[in-house]
Amino acid sequence: MTDLLPIIEQKVQAGERLSFEEGLFLDEQADLHDLGRLANIVREQKNGNFAYYNTNIHLNPTNVCVYRCDFCAFRADLKAEKAYTFDEAMIRERVEEARQQGATEIHVVGGLHHLKKFDWYLDVIRVIHETWPEIHIKAWTPVEIGWFAHLTKQSIEWVLQEMIDAGLGSMPGGGAEIFDPEVREKICEHKADTKVWFDVHDAAHRLGLKTNATMLYGHLEEARHRIDHLIRLREQQDKTGGFQTFIPLAFHPENTNLSHIPKPTGVMDLRMIALSRLMLDNFDHIKAYWIMLGEQIAQMALSYGADDIDGTVVHEIIYHDAGAKTPQGQTVEHLHRLIREAGREPVERDTLYRQVIRDGARWQIGEPILAGIS
Ligand code: V47
Ligand code: SF4
């Protein structure tokens, strides 16, 4: 096969967009260090030496789910021993914990409960917002928004507007998995399809919400599915520009229906970070989610295209149910150490990539950080 690397290198230096074939070449044939070197050029053009983190907390209000995605170890049947559902007092307690820790963001996603109506999910957002109006609520994926539209028989726009009125501030990137139906139908046949995923992000962007995007890799997909996934995201970003960060998610097989598949290696993880940085030329940020990658690979990823490591997290369940060995949360001091040792400058950001000006647990939001770079 032709060595496309010299052409790709020229294009990267000139800030030109890479094609599907070039992406496939990078994924299937490029040497890890070439990939990292090229991705690092783009990473430093876009974000200089900064490496972002945030002070956040997770809330998964229920693990009960009507669906049975093959890669999911988090879900529970309605009557299962591990099934749980938060009540109002538990939600308030989690928000108080976030306040004491000085979190700027609460990340909320969960299962689709067989018996809960739309108002229950709306109340999750309302209760958080009432308890502490200043905390940014990043919540729900298109899988949930699509489910709420189904429950209420209303449009996606209507559901999103109700959520925004209740206090929703942005949306995380989950539920994307792999967009190509050839793979999607095998790993999560029943839940929101690719069209719904994009319809929800399109509507969210048009309503002024910022959102993230993800890709679940290391299961049944092949290189061509990954490149197709990244190009579909790039095309949506050209249309609406509302994506902030892309997060490649490494499949964790333990306790899932795909437990026979080995977990992706560190090399694969770094390749996916670099590949996404190179293909997603219109995304400002690539996140190396330390909870999922492990601290060591997350540190390395900061030189392979990533500029963000997510946050303090606290109470992570989705990856720990699937065998993650990382702690469930981390201190700011430790995140600083990881970033500094990797040769980068730690910058605390809020969800919308504005600077956080901090005095212990109290904080104020400053200017957008990237304005200082370009
Ligand atoms: O949609 C579920 C994935 C996602 C497994 O936007 C799994 O800032 C690997 O989207 N192995 C939810 N992955 C997590 C997510 C996320 C995480 C951190 C930050 C942000 C953000 C978003 O986790 C799901 C699914 O793709 N997932 N089970 C598993 N066993
Ligand atoms: Fe349910 Fe989400 Fe797990 Fe699928 S990934 S089974 S929709 S909780």
Side-chain angles (χ1 to χ4, degrees):
M1 207 182 179
T2 333
D3 181 8
L4 296 179
L5 198 66
I7 299 170
I8 294 175
E9 178 143 9
Q10 269 180 8
K11 283 179 116 177
V12 170
Q13 299 281 6
E16 286 171 26
R17 181 161 279 192
L18 301 183
S19 66
F20 181 88
E21 288 68 30
E22 289 159 348
L24 206 55
F25 170 85
L26 288 174
D27 190 320
E28 288 178 335
Q29 298 191 49
D31 174 80
L32 170 67
H33 300 293
D34 285 331
L35 263 176
R37 181 174 53 82
L38 295 181
N40 196 47
I41 295 173
V42 183
R43 182 247 189 263
E44 291 187 354
Q45 271 167 1
K46 287 190 184 283
N47 291 284
N49 202 35
F50 293 161
Y52 311 104
Y53 68 94
N54 72 345
T55 309
N56 61 349
I57 198 162
H58 281 211
L59 166 61
N60 305 114
T62 181
N63 62 353
V64 173
C65 190
V66 295
Y67 292 141
R68 294 169 177 273
C69 301
D70 278 344
F71 55 81
C72 181
F74 162 74
R75 75 165 298 281
D77 287 331
L78 190 56
K79 301 239 163 87
E81 206 178 312
K82 73 171 251 196
Y84 72 82
T85 303
F86 271 46
D87 61 19
E88 191 174 322
M90 291 159 89
I91 296 170
R92 288 191 193 279
E93 196 181 315
R94 183 61 58 88
V95 178
E96 286 307 335
E97 188 183 338
R99 195 201 308 256
Q100 268 156 31
Q101 290 175 2
T104 61
E105 169 191 288
I106 185 157
H107 177 151
V108 185
V109 287
L112 310 171
H113 196 290
H114 306 58
L115 305 177
K116 298 295 181 195
K117 304 271 192 296
F118 176 60
D119 280 352
W120 182 81
Y121 295 91
L122 200 57
D123 280 343
V124 170
I125 303 299
R126 269 203 201 111
V127 169
I128 297 171
H129 189 61
E130 261 173 39
T131 311
W132 188 18
E134 284 76 28
I135 195 161
H136 180 102
I137 307 174
K138 179 178 84 178
W140 313 132
T141 69
V143 179
E144 286 147 323
I145 301 295
W147 180 248
F148 304 155
H150 162 78
L151 289 178
T152 57
K153 311 272 179 284
Q154 298 283 350
S155 67
I156 285 168
E157 285 77 8
W158 182 89
V159 169
L160 286 171
Q161 193 58 59
E162 289 286 298
M163 285 290 172
I164 292 170
D165 294 345
L168 180 72
S170 68
M171 287 175 65
E177 325 315 355
I178 286 285
F179 293 135
D180 190 319
E182 204 178 293
V183 177
R184 195 174 186 87
E185 281 165 16
K186 285 191 195 133
I187 60 171
C188 53
E189 189 190 347
H190 299 293
K191 81 172 179 188
D193 64 14
T194 298
K195 181 174 181 316
V196 171
W197 197 94
F198 279 102
D199 284 351
V200 171
H201 282 269
D202 191 282
H205 295 172
R206 290 180 201 280
L207 288 169
L209 288 178
K210 294 290 184 193
T211 71
N212 292 338
T214 58
M215 172 175 76
L216 181 67
Y217 65 86
H219 44 92
L220 305 181
E221 91 291 356
E222 294 170 20
R224 65 193 163 95
H225 302 122
R226 296 192 283 267
I227 304 302
D228 168 74
H229 190 97
L230 297 173
I231 288 179
R232 288 184 200 230
L233 287 171
R234 194 168 76 178
E235 285 170 356
Q236 179 64 46
Q237 182 75 328
D238 279 343
K239 277 194 231 153
T240 47
F243 290 121
Q244 301 198 106
T245 310
F246 177 73
I247 311 128
L249 296 171
F251 175 51
H252 280 46
E254 249 179 65
N255 305 318
T256 74
N257 289 346
L258 300 173
S259 58
H260 56 284
I261 296 176
K263 191 173 165 223
T265 61
V267 169
M268 170 100 179
D269 293 336
L270 291 175
R271 294 183 71 86
M272 288 305 110
I273 293 275
L275 187 71
S276 3
R277 180 60 290 169
L278 288 167
M279 294 305 292
L280 296 175
D281 55 2
N282 52 6
F283 276 60
D284 283 340
H285 305 288
I286 302 291
K287 190 187 280 186
Y289 184 34
W290 69 264
I291 283 266
M292 176 261 309
L293 290 175
E295 294 176 0
Q296 290 88 342
I297 296 291
Q299 272 185 311
M300 298 285 296
L302 294 176
S303 300
Y304 280 76
D307 56 273
D308 192 304
I309 60 167
D310 202 79
T312 45
V313 185
V314 188
H315 297 296
E316 203 289 327
I317 318 179
I318 295 175
Y319 280 86
H320 288 85
D321 279 356
K325 301 289 180 283
T326 44
Q328 276 187 307
Q330 203 39 279
T331 61
V332 167
E333 291 68 30
H334 190 70
L335 295 183
H336 276 204
R337 182 177 156 220
L338 293 180
I339 293 172
R340 287 221 167 88
E341 265 186 19
R344 302 295 187 189
E345 183 187 338
V347 176
E348 181 174 357
R349 60 158 178 90
D350 75 343
T351 313
L352 304 176
Y353 286 84
R354 295 170 302 187
Q355 201 156 11
V356 176
I357 303 153
R358 184 171 286 283
D359 175 15
R362 292 152 57 109
W363 46 260
Q364 272 187 311
I365 300 300
E367 295 297 312
I369 297 162
L370 277 182
I373 288 195
S374 45

